[in-house]
Amino acid sequence: YVNWFRKDADGRFIWPGFGENSRVLEWIFRRCNGEGEAVETPIGLVPTPRDLNTDGLDLSDQDVRTLLAVDEDAVRLELPQIEAYLQTYGAHLPTEIMGQLITLKRRLSA
């Protein structure tokens, strides 16, 4: 589930582009080092709006909140497609990945 491809009301992509994804990696690395804030969501942890480095980007506070928001209904609608895709791996799919999908389904139904 990637929010970086969300568009605003005018149809423009909110996130400035692939080259800025290193900012998300920066947050991930800080989290691995025991730093950085996170919000727990049904799909996992996401940065807090203030903890994602947006210095120098033309993003409003609302843009950042939109990018970090998790639309649980949209995720639920994607689950059948995700499951069908994972099933194409058959016996080669690690059981842990299917376990994560099952756990995600449970979190979304809670």
Side-chain angles (χ1 to χ4, degrees):
Y1 186 75
V2 178
N3 295 342
W4 309 125
F5 300 109
R6 287 191 177 166
K7 294 183 179 182
D8 64 15
D10 296 327
R12 76 170 179 89
F13 287 106
I14 300 171
W15 188 247
F18 181 77
E20 300 300 341
N21 290 353
S22 60
R23 295 166 184 269
V24 179
L25 294 173
E26 174 194 12
W27 173 79
I28 292 169
F29 293 140
R30 284 190 288 118
R31 290 287 301 160
C32 290
N33 288 330
E35 304 165 4
E37 301 286 323
V39 174
E40 190 170 336
T41 73
I43 64 166
L45 299 174
V46 299
T48 63
R50 78 165 198 272
D51 210 52
L52 180 63
N53 178 1
T54 59
D55 292 345
L57 298 180
D58 186 23
L59 290 173
S60 69
D61 290 342
Q62 180 57 48
D63 287 342
V64 174
R65 283 192 299 274
T66 298
L67 289 167
L68 297 175
V70 175
D71 182 340
E72 292 182 32
D73 291 333
V75 176
R76 276 188 208 93
L77 289 173
E78 291 177 1
L79 287 175
Q81 295 170 345
I82 295 168
E83 188 165 14
Y85 173 73
L86 292 177
Q87 288 174 350
T88 66
Y89 287 90
H92 298 288
L93 183 73
T95 56
E96 294 85 357
I97 292 177
M98 191 53 76
Q100 287 294 319
L101 180 63
I102 292 166
T103 302
L104 175 60
K105 286 180 179 181
R106 284 190 199 126
R107 286 193 305 261
L108 288 168
S109 65

